[in-house]
Amino acid sequence: MTTKTKLVKRIFSSLLTAALAVPMTALTAHATGEAFFYPPKNPVMTDQQFEVSVTFSADSEIGSVQANIAYDDSVIEFVSSDNASGGGGVLTVNGFPDTPSSEVDFSFTFKGLSAGNANISLQSCQIYSPDSELIGSPTAYCVITVGGDKVETKTETETTTTTEKTTTTTTKTAPSNGIPDKGVLTALTVDNGELSPAFAYNVYNYTVNVDNSVTNVEIEGTTASPSDYIWYTGTSECQVGENVRTITVTDVDGNAATYTVTIIRAAGGDEQQTQTVQKKDSSDTSSAVSKNANVMDQYKKMLNTALAIVLIVLVIALVVIIIWIRGKIKGGKKDK
């Protein structure tokens, strides 16, 4: 009995060790990062210097930010920044928070060169943690309007002409068509494809379908008031599939409205063929898994049957041994 007890304990100990040796997988939540441009609220004029700031934020502490900023150097000119260098249409940004924080702001000084719209976009952006782990790679862009030497502002009640050395206050009234006089878009255009549904100031979600040959879609919004602040997120480059862009308008009172445009670029021949092959591979894989599962079920049934037979044989053998031992014991008593 002592030997059998030790054997049972060894078996139980081995099973317990094997159970405790099962690996546990830890789930790690990945941090994310965002970026937003803050351009001037009003159009600027030629030879006028202005600032554009970018806010980088994350759901964890930021260690450093590295990025490129592309801008239209035919309309605006880079002047200076404490966190960027370059020129000729491209800036290299490299900076970090002064104190531990999940948000950091960088400012850039530009100057208006000629009348027109200048896109400023964030490219190749990487937000890192203090341990040099990548938090996120956000994209963002904004549009700067340079209005020339003079800017005319027209309203329904009056027309005012201002120069770069004269500041005037213009009073706007709500138009008769019911569109608010601030805090919304009055127009939204794309240079490829068409908005669906048609634009309306109180419709905030749109879809644009473009051919596979279209790799770039520019979006431009017109605000109800020159004092409205507008910024864009996303990039003008389009990948195959869905590309989400947002346009946020904020009025002087802080009220904001966000318009979302989903650009869907069609797949080309190569992409379609690849998708077909992937679907076929997925189908073949599923079929193989199903066949393997059937084979495993058959093996399990055979193994269960074999184990049952072995158990029955062991029971019979145990009974035979017990009977034999009792016979030996009785025979020994008779001999005595």
Side-chain angles (χ1 to χ4, degrees):
M1 293 294 293
T2 303
T3 302
K4 291 181 179 180
T5 301
K6 290 182 178 180
L7 179 60
V8 171
K9 287 184 176 180
R10 287 179 182 177
I11 294 173
F12 179 77
S13 177
S14 299
L15 292 174
L16 181 60
T17 302
L20 294 176
V22 176
M24 300 295 292
T25 302
L27 298 178
T28 304
H30 295 283
T32 57
E34 295 181 328
F36 295 97
F37 274 106
Y38 293 89
K41 294 182 178 180
N42 299 315
V44 299
M45 286 163 281
T46 56
D47 295 328
Q48 176 187 350
Q49 291 191 3
F50 59 92
E51 285 195 357
V52 174
S53 63
V54 184
T55 297
F56 299 93
S57 61
D59 55 6
S60 61
E61 185 178 338
I62 295 176
S64 63
V65 175
Q66 299 177 5
N68 291 329
I69 291 182
Y71 62 94
D72 188 348
D73 61 349
S74 66
V75 179
I76 59 176
E77 178 184 10
F78 172 66
V79 178
S80 64
S81 174
D82 293 335
N83 303 101
S85 60
V90 178
L91 302 180
T92 300
V93 180
N94 194 341
F96 51 86
D98 295 330
T99 58
S101 175
S102 61
E103 186 174 287
V104 59
D105 298 319
F106 297 150
S107 295
F108 311 91
T109 301
F110 292 90
K111 182 177 72 173
L113 290 181
S114 61
N117 292 326
N119 288 341
I120 301 180
S121 61
L122 186 66
Q123 301 177 352
S124 304
C125 176
Q126 289 91 32
I127 301 177
Y128 293 98
S129 69
D131 298 328
S132 299
E133 294 183 358
L134 182 63
I135 295 177
S137 300
T139 60
Y141 80 100
C142 66
V143 178
I144 305 296
T145 300
V146 180
D149 295 332
K150 294 182 179 181
V151 178
E152 291 189 356
T153 304
K154 295 183 179 180
T155 68
E156 293 184 356
T157 57
E158 61 181 349
T159 301
T160 304
T161 302
T162 63
T163 66
E164 58 183 4
K165 293 183 179 180
T166 303
T167 302
T168 62
T169 301
T170 302
T171 302
K172 293 180 66 68
T173 59
S176 58
N177 59 9
I179 299 177
D181 63 346
K182 61 181 179 179
V184 298
L185 291 180
T186 57
L188 181 61
T189 59
V190 291
D191 63 351
N192 281 293
E194 294 183 357
L195 292 174
S196 177
F199 175 77
Y201 80 93
N202 55 353
V203 176
Y204 300 101
N205 294 284
Y206 300 91
T207 301
V208 177
N209 291 286
V210 297
D211 295 335
N212 177 259
S213 59
V214 177
T215 59
N216 190 286
V217 175
E218 297 287 349
I219 296 177
E220 184 174 355
T222 303
T223 60
S225 170
S227 62
D228 287 339
Y229 170 64
I230 183 171
W231 76 85
Y232 305 74
T233 65
T235 175
S236 59
E237 295 182 359
C238 293
Q239 305 297 324
V240 173
E242 294 187 354
N243 301 266
V244 179
R245 311 270 288 278
T246 64
I247 306 94
T248 301
V249 184
T250 305
D251 63 20
V252 292
D253 298 321
N255 301 312
T258 299
Y259 299 81
T260 301
V261 179
T262 302
I263 303 168
I264 303 175
R265 180 186 170 195
D270 293 340
E271 289 85 354
Q272 290 176 342
Q273 185 176 2
T274 301
Q275 292 174 0
T276 302
V277 172
Q278 289 176 346
K279 289 181 180 179
K280 182 179 179 181
D281 291 343
S282 176
S283 176
D284 293 343
T285 302
S286 300
S287 177
V289 170
S290 177
K291 290 180 180 179
N292 290 336
N294 292 334
V295 173
M296 289 299 296
D297 289 339
Q298 293 177 359
Y299 283 148
K300 286 180 181 178
K301 291 180 181 179
M302 294 173 61
L303 182 60
N304 290 335
T305 303
L307 289 174
I309 295 173
V310 171
L311 182 60
I312 293 172
V313 171
L314 289 175
V315 171
I316 294 173
L318 181 60
V319 171
V320 171
I321 291 173
I322 292 172
I323 295 173
W324 179 77
I325 291 174
R326 286 182 176 179
K328 294 292 288 185
I329 292 173
K330 289 180 180 181
K333 288 180 178 180
K334 289 181 179 181
D335 291 341
K336 291 180 179 180

